[in-house]
Amino acid sequence: MSYEVLECDLLVVGAGMAGLSAAGWAAERGARVIVVEKAPEIGGSAFLSGGVLWTAASEKKMELYGAGEPALGRVICERYPEAIAWLRRRGIDISKAMKVLHGNGYQIDIVEHLKGCVDLVEKAGGHVVFETTVSTLLQDSEGRVTGARTVHEDGEIDVHAQWTLLATGGFQGNPEMRSQYIHENAREMLLRSNPYSDGAGLKLGQEVGGEVRGTNRGFYGHLVSKPNAWGEERYYTMLSQYHSDHALLFNEHGKRFCDESFGDHTNTYHTVQQPNARAICLWDARVHAEHATKPIVATAPPLDKFAVAMENGGEGIIAQTFAELGSFATAHGFDGEEMLRELSRYNDLANNGWEVMNPPRTETCLPMDRAPYYALIVYPAITFTFGGLTIDTGAQVLDAKGRAVRGLLAAGSDAGGAYGVGYAGGLAMAMTFGITAARTAGWE
């Protein structure tokens, strides 16, 4: 059976931050690029973000807070200045520098950047095609990937390309893959991103010999309160308890189970592994005033996170005494007595012996002793995954023996390893590896 054929220099599967950054970079340098996207529009999960392009302030902080493969983390650190310079050359709106979590960054006009990449592709004679999937990658007789068979309601087209980039956004939209690669509890995890990233890129890469090790169970997400409704984008940030890094987390056994101070995104990873994938997030009046009512980035509006949670179905209590906290925990299926013992131990060590605390508190270790006290039951919600196809520092997909699958690249959440349990900026990871992929394809 014959298929209509299109030729290009670079085929990009996925029109999110990684895919369009690669496409725009290559097209600006003369490449003919074809981008195929299964959704009806560009953006992927990037359009659901706050548009803050940030990353770790140094390679050492990347190793600590990103907790992925150091060589891949270094790519983000090294390419980040180049990415910012590219945005500025193109006149993309960028804020003044700001501190974000454990790093630094800028608020950018994410829509302007991605639409600008589409314009670059089209000006160079390429195309961005929507509601189109890839049924299989094409290979020559020597095993090099030479493009893909694309499927649209109007028919199937073979796109022949010198290089093919997989950038479909990971597998967070696939419950079975979440269960397989993250944790059984992740099967029912709330999704706080677009529904189109369902692991298609990983499967395509595996079919031509690419490796998905399955050892990186990390993901980016946030702890959220129980919602009356879910699925509307406004809930993704409204109900996220970003301040959990200044709070304490207790599982159903009444035990702390992680170093909360590493960040809410890391706390989310640890919570999904707890019984029934839930925890009590507990903080005091000091944390409430300094963190739970303040925006996580300077450009976001302030919200009382506890009040918003309770208005939208949250399970929580404002208590004047520890005894009230224990009763609340017990009534909701937690070991309230053990939680109070654990809280007492924490406060004692925070005052008199933080160095032997277990789990430790790396960043902040202040007692929770100022009434009123706030307790909220929280659940993990996933935005995107960290475990994908194995790549090298040039974004080339590797097989199980560490050999490059020739002609095939992966970036963003289709590529695994840049982050592990930690996190140092999703937009930065996607954009820097998108640029890296374009450069590997010859578009310096």
Side-chain angles (χ1 to χ4, degrees):
M1 183 176 181
S2 62
Y3 296 87
E4 182 181 349
V5 174
L6 291 177
E7 303 278 348
C8 66
D9 299 306
L10 175 64
L11 169 63
V12 177
V13 186
M17 186 63 162
L20 284 180
S21 294
W25 180 277
E28 189 179 56
R29 287 153 181 77
R32 185 166 187 263
V33 183
I34 293 177
V35 181
V36 296
E37 168 59 53
K38 72 162 62 174
E41 58 186 2
I42 66 170
S45 295
F47 274 6
L48 302 179
S49 75
V52 179
L53 185 63
W54 75 278
T55 196
S58 68
E59 289 185 13
K60 287 296 184 183
K61 286 193 173 183
M62 175 65 77
E63 289 186 28
L64 176 62
Y65 293 112
E69 296 180 26
L72 298 180
R74 282 194 294 273
V75 172
I76 302 173
C77 292
E78 292 168 0
R79 293 286 188 213
Y80 181 81
E82 188 174 37
I84 296 299
W86 184 41
L87 294 171
R88 287 182 169 141
R89 285 199 305 272
R90 292 163 48 219
I92 304 301
D93 189 37
I94 301 177
S95 74
K96 292 182 179 179
M98 63 177 73
K99 182 170 178 57
V100 185
L101 298 178
H102 305 299
N104 302 306
Y106 307 86
Q107 178 98 40
I108 71 167
D109 189 330
I110 188 74
V111 175
E112 183 184 21
H113 165 56
L114 294 185
K115 287 186 175 179
C117 288
V118 173
D119 290 341
L120 289 170
V121 168
E122 293 176 344
K123 286 177 182 176
H127 305 281
V128 179
V129 186
F130 302 105
E131 297 180 310
T132 301
T133 59
V134 171
S135 61
T136 188
L137 296 178
L138 305 176
Q139 294 177 280
D140 63 18
S141 59
E142 297 180 350
R144 181 183 178 88
V145 174
T146 58
R149 180 156 297 154
T150 66
V151 181
H152 185 270
E153 64 178 7
D154 294 333
E156 298 184 359
I157 296 176
D158 282 357
V159 179
H160 292 178
Q162 293 297 311
W163 289 88
T164 299
L165 170 62
L166 299 174
T168 68
F171 60 85
Q172 62 270 8
N174 188 317
E176 292 299 323
M177 293 182 75
R178 294 200 306 262
S179 174
Q180 177 182 359
Y181 291 122
I182 298 176
H183 191 277
E184 175 56 33
N185 289 344
R187 184 189 304 272
E188 304 301 325
M189 196 160 30
L190 293 170
L191 181 65
R192 62 187 307 276
S193 73
N194 79 85
Y196 297 102
S197 296
D198 59 3
L202 277 65
K203 293 176 183 177
L204 289 169
Q206 285 179 301
E207 288 171 0
V208 294
E211 178 191 46
V212 177
R213 289 178 187 158
T215 56
N216 186 339
R217 298 184 176 275
F219 63 91
Y220 173 69
H222 285 290
L223 292 174
V224 301
S225 56
K226 185 176 182 180
N228 280 329
W230 192 255
E232 293 183 36
E233 297 173 17
R234 61 194 181 99
Y235 292 119
Y236 299 165
T237 55
M238 282 174 54
L239 303 186
S240 293
Q241 305 302 308
Y242 300 114
H243 60 284
S244 78
D245 55 342
H246 295 279
L248 299 177
L249 293 170
F250 301 91
N251 62 21
E252 290 186 351
H253 302 303
K255 297 290 190 179
R256 287 182 59 231
F257 52 86
C258 66
D259 180 346
E260 300 95 339
S261 72
F262 258 55
D264 184 63
H265 42 279
T266 306
N267 295 338
T268 306
Y269 167 84
H270 291 294
T271 300
V272 79
Q273 301 175 52
Q274 301 307 307
N276 293 310
R278 65 176 188 154
I280 287 179
C281 184
L282 188 154
W283 66 97
D284 69 358
R286 177 190 59 80
V287 172
H288 194 71
E290 296 177 4
H291 302 286
T293 55
K294 301 291 178 65
I296 190 171
V297 294
T299 53
L303 291 173
D304 183 325
K305 287 305 219 173
F306 185 87
V308 171
M310 296 305 290
E311 289 167 4
N312 289 275
E315 307 152 295
I317 187 176
I318 301 176
Q320 295 299 325
T321 67
F322 287 164
E324 291 176 80
L325 292 174
S327 296
F328 168 80
T330 299
H332 287 81
F334 291 76
D335 188 333
E337 291 184 2
E338 181 58 33
M339 186 185 81
L340 294 186
R341 285 192 289 268
E342 189 86 339
L343 175 59
S344 178
R345 284 192 291 267
Y346 170 84
N347 282 338
D348 180 59
L349 291 174
N351 284 315
N352 304 302
W354 62 266
E355 69 278 4
V356 296
M357 187 176 292
N358 186 30
R361 292 278 295 194
T362 301
E363 291 295 322
T364 61
C365 189
L366 296 174
M368 297 288 173
D369 57 4
R370 298 186 189 178
Y373 306 101
Y374 298 78
L376 186 68
I377 299 177
V378 292
Y379 304 84
I382 187 170
T383 305
F384 57 84
T385 51
F386 296 160
L389 291 158
T390 303
I391 61 167
D392 63 14
T393 55
Q396 291 190 96
V397 174
L398 305 178
D399 66 15
K401 295 183 178 180
R403 302 171 301 195
V405 179
R406 290 175 298 160
L408 187 62
L409 304 157
S413 293
D414 280 0
Y419 301 147
V421 175
Y423 174 69
L427 296 180
M429 177 184 70
M431 188 173 183
T432 55
F433 272 98
I435 291 172
T436 298
R439 294 178 69 128
T440 295
W443 304 99
E444 293 285 341

